[in-house]
Short mmCIF file of all heavy atoms in Angstrom, two decimals:
data_model
loop_
_atom_site.label_atom_id
_atom_site.label_comp_id
_atom_site.label_asym_id
_atom_site.label_seq_id
_atom_site.Cartn_x
_atom_site.Cartn_y
_atom_site.Cartn_z
N LEU A 1 25.13 -240.26 64.96
CA LEU A 1 24.81 -239.14 65.78
C LEU A 1 24.39 -239.62 67.19
O LEU A 1 24.82 -239.12 68.17
CB LEU A 1 23.75 -238.25 65.19
CG LEU A 1 24.11 -237.55 64.01
CD1 LEU A 1 22.99 -236.68 63.43
CD2 LEU A 1 25.33 -236.56 64.34
N ASP A 2 23.64 -240.75 67.23
CA ASP A 2 23.21 -241.20 68.55
C ASP A 2 24.41 -241.83 69.30
O ASP A 2 24.57 -241.74 70.56
CB ASP A 2 22.15 -242.28 68.32
CG ASP A 2 20.73 -241.65 68.05
OD1 ASP A 2 20.49 -240.56 68.28
OD2 ASP A 2 19.80 -242.49 67.60
N THR A 3 25.33 -242.46 68.58
CA THR A 3 26.46 -242.97 69.15
C THR A 3 27.29 -241.87 69.80
O THR A 3 27.73 -242.03 71.06
CB THR A 3 27.46 -243.70 68.15
OG1 THR A 3 26.74 -244.77 67.55
CG2 THR A 3 28.68 -244.27 68.74
N GLU A 4 27.36 -240.72 69.23
CA GLU A 4 28.14 -239.70 69.74
C GLU A 4 27.45 -239.11 70.98
O GLU A 4 28.06 -238.81 72.04
CB GLU A 4 28.45 -238.60 68.82
CG GLU A 4 29.32 -238.90 67.62
CD GLU A 4 29.69 -237.73 66.71
OE1 GLU A 4 29.89 -236.53 67.35
OE2 GLU A 4 29.69 -237.88 65.54
N LYS A 5 26.07 -238.93 70.84
CA LYS A 5 25.37 -238.28 71.73
C LYS A 5 25.38 -238.98 73.20
O LYS A 5 25.30 -238.46 74.27
CB LYS A 5 23.93 -238.05 71.29
CG LYS A 5 22.96 -237.38 72.31
CD LYS A 5 21.65 -237.13 71.71
CE LYS A 5 20.73 -238.41 71.37
NZ LYS A 5 19.53 -238.17 70.87
N ASN A 6 25.42 -240.34 73.04
CA ASN A 6 25.29 -241.17 74.20
C ASN A 6 26.66 -241.56 74.84
O ASN A 6 26.58 -242.29 75.87
CB ASN A 6 24.48 -242.48 73.84
CG ASN A 6 23.05 -242.15 73.47
OD1 ASN A 6 22.41 -241.28 74.05
ND2 ASN A 6 22.54 -243.02 72.65
N LEU A 7 27.79 -241.12 74.19
CA LEU A 7 28.94 -241.27 74.91
C LEU A 7 29.18 -240.38 76.09
O LEU A 7 28.90 -239.23 76.04
CB LEU A 7 30.20 -240.95 73.96
CG LEU A 7 30.42 -241.93 72.85
CD1 LEU A 7 31.19 -241.40 71.72
CD2 LEU A 7 31.02 -243.20 73.43
N VAL A 8 29.73 -240.89 77.14
CA VAL A 8 29.91 -240.16 78.36
C VAL A 8 31.52 -240.36 78.68
O VAL A 8 32.06 -241.40 78.80
CB VAL A 8 29.23 -240.67 79.59
CG1 VAL A 8 29.71 -239.97 80.85
CG2 VAL A 8 27.77 -240.60 79.41
N LEU A 9 32.10 -239.18 78.78
CA LEU A 9 33.54 -239.08 79.03
C LEU A 9 33.94 -238.77 80.52
O LEU A 9 33.38 -237.76 81.11
CB LEU A 9 34.25 -238.03 78.17
CG LEU A 9 35.74 -237.65 78.47
CD1 LEU A 9 36.60 -238.81 78.27
CD2 LEU A 9 36.21 -236.43 77.73
N ASP A 10 34.64 -239.59 81.18
CA ASP A 10 35.06 -239.49 82.53
C ASP A 10 36.51 -238.88 82.50
O ASP A 10 37.49 -239.59 82.22
CB ASP A 10 35.06 -240.80 83.37
CG ASP A 10 35.37 -240.60 84.84
OD1 ASP A 10 35.64 -239.46 85.22
OD2 ASP A 10 35.26 -241.54 85.62
N LEU A 11 36.58 -237.52 82.72
CA LEU A 11 37.90 -236.77 82.48
C LEU A 11 38.62 -236.82 83.85
O LEU A 11 38.21 -236.14 84.80
CB LEU A 11 37.63 -235.45 82.07
CG LEU A 11 38.87 -234.60 81.51
CD1 LEU A 11 39.46 -235.26 80.36
CD2 LEU A 11 38.33 -233.26 81.01
N GLY A 12 39.83 -237.40 83.93
CA GLY A 12 40.51 -237.65 85.15
C GLY A 12 39.82 -238.86 85.91
O GLY A 12 39.61 -238.74 87.06
N CYS A 13 39.76 -239.91 85.25
CA CYS A 13 38.92 -241.11 85.71
C CYS A 13 39.73 -241.88 86.68
O CYS A 13 39.23 -242.79 87.45
CB CYS A 13 38.66 -241.94 84.52
SG CYS A 13 40.01 -242.82 83.67
N GLY A 14 41.16 -241.70 86.87
CA GLY A 14 41.85 -242.42 87.97
C GLY A 14 41.76 -243.96 87.74
O GLY A 14 42.00 -244.38 86.53
N THR A 15 41.50 -244.64 88.62
CA THR A 15 41.39 -246.10 88.69
C THR A 15 40.04 -246.64 88.12
O THR A 15 40.04 -247.93 88.25
CB THR A 15 41.79 -246.72 90.00
OG1 THR A 15 40.73 -246.36 90.95
CG2 THR A 15 43.04 -246.30 90.63
N GLY A 16 39.23 -245.83 87.69
CA GLY A 16 38.14 -246.23 86.99
C GLY A 16 36.79 -246.70 87.78
O GLY A 16 35.94 -247.28 87.31
N THR A 17 36.80 -246.50 89.13
CA THR A 17 35.78 -246.99 89.93
C THR A 17 34.60 -246.38 89.56
O THR A 17 33.42 -247.02 89.41
CB THR A 17 36.12 -246.65 91.53
OG1 THR A 17 37.28 -247.30 91.89
CG2 THR A 17 34.89 -247.10 92.25
N LEU A 18 34.46 -244.96 89.46
CA LEU A 18 33.24 -244.26 89.07
C LEU A 18 32.93 -244.55 87.58
O LEU A 18 31.67 -244.73 87.34
CB LEU A 18 33.52 -242.69 89.31
CG LEU A 18 32.27 -241.91 89.06
CD1 LEU A 18 31.14 -242.30 90.04
CD2 LEU A 18 32.59 -240.39 89.16
N THR A 19 33.92 -244.69 86.79
CA THR A 19 33.55 -245.04 85.33
C THR A 19 32.86 -246.42 85.32
O THR A 19 31.92 -246.49 84.47
CB THR A 19 34.92 -245.08 84.60
OG1 THR A 19 35.99 -244.18 85.15
CG2 THR A 19 34.72 -244.95 83.11
N GLU A 20 33.38 -247.28 85.95
CA GLU A 20 32.57 -248.67 86.00
C GLU A 20 31.29 -248.59 86.46
O GLU A 20 30.25 -249.22 85.90
CB GLU A 20 33.47 -249.65 86.91
CG GLU A 20 34.80 -250.16 86.25
CD GLU A 20 34.57 -251.13 85.07
OE1 GLU A 20 33.32 -251.63 85.02
OE2 GLU A 20 35.43 -251.55 84.61
N LEU A 21 30.99 -247.75 87.60
CA LEU A 21 29.71 -247.69 88.13
C LEU A 21 28.69 -246.96 87.16
O LEU A 21 27.49 -247.45 87.03
CB LEU A 21 29.67 -246.81 89.51
CG LEU A 21 30.39 -247.51 90.72
CD1 LEU A 21 30.45 -246.58 91.88
CD2 LEU A 21 29.54 -248.68 91.14
N LEU A 22 29.20 -246.00 86.38
CA LEU A 22 28.31 -245.33 85.40
C LEU A 22 28.07 -246.36 84.27
O LEU A 22 27.02 -246.31 83.60
CB LEU A 22 28.98 -243.96 84.98
CG LEU A 22 28.86 -243.05 86.02
CD1 LEU A 22 29.73 -241.73 85.57
CD2 LEU A 22 27.46 -242.42 86.22
N TYR A 23 29.13 -247.14 83.90
CA TYR A 23 28.93 -248.10 82.87
C TYR A 23 27.81 -249.11 83.21
O TYR A 23 26.92 -249.56 82.37
CB TYR A 23 30.25 -248.89 82.64
CG TYR A 23 30.21 -249.92 81.60
CD1 TYR A 23 30.24 -249.74 80.26
CD2 TYR A 23 29.97 -251.23 82.00
CE1 TYR A 23 30.13 -250.65 79.38
CE2 TYR A 23 29.83 -252.38 81.05
CZ TYR A 23 29.94 -252.08 79.85
OH TYR A 23 29.83 -253.07 78.88
N ARG A 24 27.79 -249.55 84.49
CA ARG A 24 26.82 -250.45 84.99
C ARG A 24 25.44 -249.89 84.88
O ARG A 24 24.38 -250.58 84.72
CB ARG A 24 27.03 -250.86 86.51
CG ARG A 24 28.22 -251.69 86.58
CD ARG A 24 28.48 -252.05 88.11
NE ARG A 24 29.79 -252.46 88.43
CZ ARG A 24 30.38 -252.54 89.72
NH1 ARG A 24 29.51 -252.35 90.74
NH2 ARG A 24 31.54 -252.95 89.87
N LYS A 25 25.23 -248.49 84.89
CA LYS A 25 24.07 -247.77 84.84
C LYS A 25 23.57 -247.73 83.31
O LYS A 25 22.48 -247.23 82.98
CB LYS A 25 23.97 -246.44 85.32
CG LYS A 25 24.16 -246.45 86.89
CD LYS A 25 24.15 -245.01 87.47
CE LYS A 25 24.11 -245.02 88.98
NZ LYS A 25 22.73 -245.44 89.47
N GLY A 26 24.49 -248.24 82.44
CA GLY A 26 24.03 -248.24 80.98
C GLY A 26 24.68 -247.29 80.12
O GLY A 26 24.52 -247.24 79.01
N TYR A 27 25.59 -246.36 80.69
CA TYR A 27 26.17 -245.30 79.88
C TYR A 27 27.39 -246.00 79.17
O TYR A 27 28.09 -246.79 79.70
CB TYR A 27 26.60 -244.16 80.88
CG TYR A 27 25.44 -243.33 81.38
CD1 TYR A 27 25.02 -243.65 82.75
CD2 TYR A 27 24.72 -242.60 80.53
CE1 TYR A 27 23.90 -242.91 83.14
CE2 TYR A 27 23.53 -241.83 80.96
CZ TYR A 27 23.33 -242.04 82.28
OH TYR A 27 22.16 -241.43 82.89
N ASP A 28 27.62 -245.43 78.02
CA ASP A 28 28.67 -245.90 77.11
C ASP A 28 29.96 -244.94 77.40
O ASP A 28 29.94 -243.73 77.14
CB ASP A 28 28.31 -245.60 75.70
CG ASP A 28 29.09 -246.43 74.60
OD1 ASP A 28 30.00 -247.18 75.16
OD2 ASP A 28 28.82 -246.33 73.36
#
């Protein structure tokens, strides 16, 4: 349940710039 709860989906992520920045903040 914690695994699901802590997942963050970037919908329309494009080239992943924002996705990477949120990953660096610790988000899965």
Side-chain angles (χ1 to χ4, degrees):
L1 290 175
D2 284 344
T3 297
E4 292 188 42
K5 181 174 69 174
N6 292 327
L7 286 169
V8 176
L9 169 64
D10 188 356
L11 190 60
C13 65
T15 61
T17 301
L18 184 63
T19 326
E20 287 283 352
L21 289 173
L22 289 171
Y23 177 85
R24 292 178 200 170
K25 288 181 174 292
Y27 291 103
D28 199 3

